[in-house]
Amino acid sequence: MTHPPTKSAAPPGAGAALPAQRTGSPTPEAAPPRRRSAFAEGAEQLRAAATTEPGRLRVIGAVLAVLIVAFGAVTAWQMTDRAAAADDVLHRSQPLSSGAADIYRSLADANTTASSGFLAGGQETTASRARYEKDIRTAAAKLVTAAANSEPGSPSEAAIAKLNTLLPEYKGLVERARVYNRQGYPVGGAYLRYANEKMQQEMLPAAQDLYTKENARLASDYSDATPYPWAAIVLGLLALAALAWAQLRHYRRTNRLLNHGLVAASAATVVTLLWLVVGHTLARAGLDGSYDHGVRSLNVLHDARIASLKARGNENLSLVARGAETVMVGGQTYDAYYYDFDKDMTALGKGLTEAAALADDKAGSKPVVAAEGNMKVWKERHADARTEDENGDYQAALDKVIGTKDATAECFDSVDTNLKNALAYEETQFRERATDGRDAMSGLPIGAAMLGVAAAAGALFGIGRRLSEYR
């Protein structure tokens, strides 16, 4: 019997579906979300908050507070700087400028007095000697003050050091000239001329350089004290505009006319801004007045007084040298000291004319006009003395220069006294006006800071009252 063929058993699992073959790269896992920066999150929160009225109010309050506080802070900062510069003008740079002028004047007067004493010879008066010693002490004391206020390594310090070195050398030359002159030795005149050269060519130029540097410092302090505080003014106007907008918005949304906090903030800001503008305008006017009618007059008068001292010194030295010093100008020979005397008198006349024009009242012009009259008489007497000298009458020329009656010495002393009085008056005018300018800024930095804080608090209070309505 034949059996049908049997099917072979399928292997286990043969009937199951085979797993599909993987194709391509495996699927990557999802990346974690990228973390945003704090600024981006803050901006997003701000945008979200701005979609609601409470959020908008918070933003408005923050902006108002920042603007007002910035206004107060910048005002306090700028006015502190200007008040400090105005105080420097009054108590530091102008006194140092006048001190530098006094150094120059004292040195020039000492040189003039030394030549006058030399001409008197053994008849030198105690007053003349005391005046010379006082001038030397004054110059030395003013140099100490200038050195204490100069910056290390500055040009002023170099000029002061040079003068401190030259002053003892000059005194030694003058003393030698006096000793030889009393003994009747002609070499005394040579020593005095050498001392004068040291004074004219080294010491006075150094003193002039110091005076110029101190004047530049004074001008710098003025330029720091007088400019308008535009940054503070602009911030104040922006703060006022923002406050006005906030109040207008409040009125349109609530139909309420006033928000007490915003009104108080606006009032404080207006007061601060007006105080700033008016106070600085008054300060600027006072400082400008102190410069135009004080410093300018003082500079001109200092120059005029120095010119008179130099003229007097050259007048004396022309008799000491007796024609030994000459100068060639335009093909002609002149006595060097007479030639310089004429230049100094021209400078003196020009300075007196300018000082009279700058004087803004009778009290200021009176001593200047008197000095002009003294100068005219001085020139007439000098012409007579020069004529006697050129005619060979030395004693007559000497009497007309240092004599006790109708001498040029009287005219010089009158010019010097009147210029000293004019300087004292202009110094008073400067101090009064500079003090007014500085005082106009007194309290403004602290007041602006306090009002700024009060205004910012008022703005936040006003916004807070509106926010409380949403709770």
Side-chain angles (χ1 to χ4, degrees):
M1 181 171 190
T2 304
H3 296 283
T6 58
K7 294 182 179 179
S8 61
L18 294 176
Q21 293 289 331
R22 292 183 179 180
T23 59
S25 60
T27 303
E29 296 183 1
R34 185 177 181 182
R35 186 179 181 84
R36 293 184 298 173
S37 66
F39 177 79
E41 290 181 358
E44 182 62 28
Q45 292 174 3
L46 187 63
R47 282 194 296 269
T51 60
T52 65
E53 181 60 15
R56 295 189 190 98
L57 288 173
R58 291 187 181 93
V59 172
I60 292 171
V63 171
L64 289 177
V66 169
L67 276 176
I68 294 170
V69 169
F71 169 49
V74 172
T75 299
W77 164 55
Q78 290 195 307
M79 296 314 297
T80 297
D81 286 348
R82 281 157 177 76
D87 193 70
D88 284 343
V89 165
L90 182 61
H91 292 124
R92 184 169 172 266
S93 52
Q94 196 283 325
L96 288 174
S97 175
S98 290
D102 285 341
I103 291 172
Y104 194 113
R105 186 206 62 78
S106 297
L107 293 175
D109 191 61
N111 196 49
T112 297
T113 306
S115 61
S116 296
F118 186 91
L119 286 176
Q123 305 301 318
E124 182 181 12
T125 63
T126 303
S128 176
R129 178 75 181 192
R131 179 171 176 171
Y132 168 81
E133 295 294 344
K134 181 181 178 181
D135 286 332
I136 295 297
R137 288 195 303 271
T138 300
K142 296 288 185 180
L143 283 171
V144 171
T145 302
N149 288 276
S150 63
E151 298 292 335
S154 65
S156 294
E157 184 185 49
I160 293 167
K162 183 176 182 180
L163 286 169
N164 278 326
T165 300
L166 292 173
L167 188 58
E169 297 177 7
Y170 172 80
K171 287 180 62 180
L173 291 171
V174 171
E175 291 306 317
R176 287 187 181 183
R178 279 187 173 133
V179 170
Y180 286 125
N181 187 44
R182 287 173 181 170
Q183 295 176 352
Y185 295 141
V187 72
Y191 271 106
L192 187 66
R193 293 196 299 275
Y194 184 36
N196 178 69
E197 288 178 6
K198 184 174 288 292
M199 177 66 73
Q200 299 291 341
Q201 298 178 12
E202 298 182 61
M203 298 178 70
L204 290 183
Q208 179 66 46
D209 183 56
L210 178 62
Y211 179 49
T212 301
K213 296 295 188 301
E214 294 301 340
N215 269 346
R217 186 192 302 194
L218 175 59
S220 176
D221 285 338
Y222 266 108
S223 66
D224 290 340
T226 54
Y228 274 105
W230 290 115
I233 292 173
V234 169
L235 277 173
L237 293 174
L238 285 174
L240 274 180
L243 285 166
W245 174 83
Q247 291 176 86
L248 180 60
R249 183 180 185 278
H250 170 77
Y251 171 72
R252 287 176 174 174
R253 288 181 176 268
T254 65
N255 210 27
R256 296 170 189 169
L257 186 61
L258 296 176
N259 178 298
H260 294 92
L262 294 178
V263 169
S266 300
T269 304
V270 168
V271 169
T272 306
L273 189 58
L274 286 176
W275 190 4
L276 171 64
V277 174
V278 174
H280 189 269
T281 299
L282 292 174
R284 183 186 177 99
L287 290 170
D288 286 344
S290 71
Y291 184 83
D292 292 335
H293 302 290
V295 173
R296 288 181 61 194
S297 294
L298 287 170
N299 289 342
V300 171
L301 289 168
H302 278 308
D303 291 342
R305 196 178 187 193
I306 288 168
S308 71
L309 288 166
K310 292 173 70 175
R312 179 60 180 172
N314 284 316
E315 185 177 47
N316 291 338
L317 287 167
S318 65
L319 296 179
V320 172
R322 298 191 182 187
E325 300 289 339
T326 60
V327 62
M328 183 74 69
V329 179
Q332 295 185 352
T333 302
Y334 298 92
D335 181 288
Y337 298 113
Y338 279 144
Y339 182 80
D340 287 341
F341 171 86
D342 291 337
K343 290 196 304 181
D344 294 331
M345 291 300 281
T346 299
L348 173 60
K350 182 179 178 181
L352 291 175
T353 300
E354 188 174 352
L358 289 172
D360 55 349
D361 55 24
K362 186 176 181 180
S365 62
K366 183 177 179 180
V368 178
V369 172
E372 287 181 310
N374 302 143
M375 182 193 68
K376 291 179 182 178
V377 178
W378 183 3
K379 291 173 73 174
E380 293 171 358
R381 294 181 180 180
H382 173 79
D384 293 339
R386 184 182 294 192
T387 299
E388 297 290 354
D389 186 32
E390 291 173 349
N391 290 336
D393 194 342
Y394 177 79
Q395 188 59 48
L398 189 63
D399 291 340
K400 289 182 181 295
V401 172
I402 64 170
T404 57
K405 184 180 180 182
D406 296 335
T408 59
E410 297 176 358
C411 301
F412 163 71
D413 288 339
S414 296
V415 169
D416 191 65
T417 299
N418 282 310
L419 286 175
K420 182 179 179 180
N421 293 337
L423 280 165
Y425 179 79
E426 295 299 338
E427 185 80 23
T428 301
Q429 292 292 298
F430 161 79
R431 289 194 172 276
E432 289 178 355
R433 297 181 184 189
T435 300
D436 290 342
R438 183 202 59 182
D439 290 348
M441 291 186 278
S442 296
L444 183 51
I446 295 176
M450 294 177 64
L451 285 170
V453 171
L460 292 175
F461 174 77
I463 296 298
R465 289 293 299 272
R466 279 285 291 129
L467 282 171
S468 65
E469 298 173 3
Y470 290 90
R471 295 179 187 142

